[in-house]
């Protein structure tokens, strides 16, 4: 059932942060699965000298091993309980009501943190494209990031710019386009934009952030092993279909497979199976 206070906060700020959305024991069990799949754990996390990015190099941050698998939650039956998890679904429903459905835009990752401010929507320039046109249907999509490590071991924080799914100043737009500003900002202002201060959440195992894909967000630099799982939900309308098709077909770096019957059965049991399974 929708919770008007939580739903209003999500609409205005673009996110809801939930402590222990997954019980700690479940979160650590999922972490173990990802460690087994990736071969990345606390003993070898920083043993690989990758290229890193410009900001990380200029900040003196070490490079780290990466494992990122889009579509892994929906493709691997070891993760199928996650999108049908009662507490995850409960919070999605508190934000958008009983009609919310699972949206196949999922992933698991080890080591990965995206330190640049970005959006997860199809159209990522504020106000430009179908994601920003709500004249026919409201944009009612949720991305869910779930984290599986302690802040103490990783120093990871999830950052958001509240309200950036509804407004973005011309100065902020300009600043994000000028890549040459990135090194200067990193030295002077950390990861925060000059034009917009982020709100940062140090994560613990099982913590989750539910956010509008159009919201500007980023991950902090990390100094130790980090593990995450991502899901999506939404109300089935044109925005839902556009988002699905973009990740399923338009992104060559996102090899999604059609959902299998075992997963669809679990989604149906809790009432979040899409009415029309796209494929």
């Amino acid at each position: 059932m929708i919770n008007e206070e939580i739903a209003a906060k999500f609409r205005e700020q673009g996110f809801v942060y939930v402590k222990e959305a997954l019980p700690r024991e479940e979160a650590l069990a999922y972490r173990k699965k990802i460690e087994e799949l990736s071969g990345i754990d606390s003993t070898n996390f920083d043993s690989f000298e990758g290229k890193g990015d410009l900001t990380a190099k200029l900040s003196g941050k070490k490079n780290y091993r990466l494992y990122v698998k889009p579509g892994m939650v929906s493709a691997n039956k070891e993760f199928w309980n996650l999108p049908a998890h009662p507490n995850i679904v409960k919070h999605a429903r508190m934000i958008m009501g009983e009609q919310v459905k699972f949206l196949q835009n999922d992933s698991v990752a080890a080591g990965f943190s995206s330190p640049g401010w970005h959006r997860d929507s199809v159209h990522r320039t504020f106000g430009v494209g179908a994601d920003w046109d709500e004249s026919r249907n409201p944009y009612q999509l949720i991305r869910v990031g779930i984290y599986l490590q302690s802040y103490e071991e990783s120093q990871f924080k999830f950052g958001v710019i509240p309200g950036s799914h509804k407004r973005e100043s011309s100065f902020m737009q300009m600043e994000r386009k000028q890549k040459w500003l990135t090194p200067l900002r990193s030295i002077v202002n950390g990861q925060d934009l000059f034009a917009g201060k982020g709100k940062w959440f140090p994560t613990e195992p099982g913590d989750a952030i539910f956010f509008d894909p159009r919201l500007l967000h980023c991950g902090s630099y990390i100094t130790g092993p980090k593990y995450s799982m991502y899901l999506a939900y939404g109300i089935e309308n044109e925005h839902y279909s556009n988002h699905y098709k973009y990740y399923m077909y338009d992104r060559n770096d996102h090899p999604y497979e059609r959902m299998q019957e075992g997963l669809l059965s679990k989604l149906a049991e809790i009432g979040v199976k899409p009415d029309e399974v796209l494929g």
Side-chain angles (χ1 to χ4, degrees), residues 73-262:
V73 173
S74 53
N76 189 322
K77 63 182 181 180
E78 292 188 279
F79 295 98
W80 284 353
N81 286 333
L82 185 64
H85 192 283
N87 202 40
I88 299 296
V89 171
K90 180 183 78 172
H91 282 87
R93 285 172 170 160
M94 285 195 291
I95 294 168
M96 288 188 181
E98 295 296 318
Q99 296 305 309
V100 75
K101 306 295 183 183
F102 176 66
L103 173 58
Q104 194 179 4
N105 175 203
D106 57 85
S107 64
V108 302
F112 179 72
S113 184
S114 183
W117 293 100
H118 65 283
R119 295 181 165 99
D120 288 352
S121 49
V122 177
H123 302 97
R124 302 188 177 190
T125 299
F126 181 83
V128 178
D131 284 339
W132 307 93
D133 181 0
E134 299 186 77
S135 60
R136 291 182 301 274
N137 290 287
Y139 189 93
Q140 294 175 292
L141 304 182
I142 308 169
R143 285 279 274 161
V144 186
I146 305 166
Y147 298 95
L148 311 175
Q149 76 293 319
S150 69
Y151 175 70
E152 181 180 9
E153 66 182 315
S154 67
Q155 298 297 294
F156 174 76
K157 296 180 182 180
F158 189 92
V160 298
I161 297 183
S164 55
H165 65 308
K166 298 181 67 175
R167 52 193 170 271
E168 184 177 4
S169 70
S170 57
F171 183 26
M172 186 183 296
Q173 291 182 48
M174 180 277 293
E175 180 184 352
R176 294 200 303 111
K177 291 178 181 177
Q178 303 302 317
K179 301 301 182 185
W180 62 270
L181 276 173
T182 300
L184 174 63
R185 188 178 69 230
S186 178
I187 294 169
V188 176
N189 211 35
Q191 285 183 265
D192 282 334
L193 295 168
F194 291 124
K197 186 174 177 59
K199 184 175 180 63
W200 296 89
F201 296 91
T203 65
E204 295 295 331
D207 290 359
I209 183 158
F210 294 67
F211 64 97
D212 187 309
R214 300 171 300 177
L215 187 76
L216 284 173
H217 62 281
C218 77
S220 70
Y221 301 115
I222 53 179
T223 60
K226 171 188 171 286
Y227 305 87
S228 62
M229 306 181 293
Y230 267 75
L231 305 171
Y233 298 86
I235 302 298
E236 291 179 288
N237 61 27
E238 63 182 296
H239 299 296
Y240 181 103
S241 298
N242 289 343
H243 194 93
Y244 173 85
K245 292 172 182 176
Y246 172 71
Y247 280 97
M248 191 76 168
Y249 301 117
D250 297 344
R251 289 282 296 266
N252 294 328
D253 58 332
H254 287 63
Y256 285 88
E257 301 175 5
R258 187 176 174 85
M259 288 189 286
Q260 300 176 45
E261 287 302 320

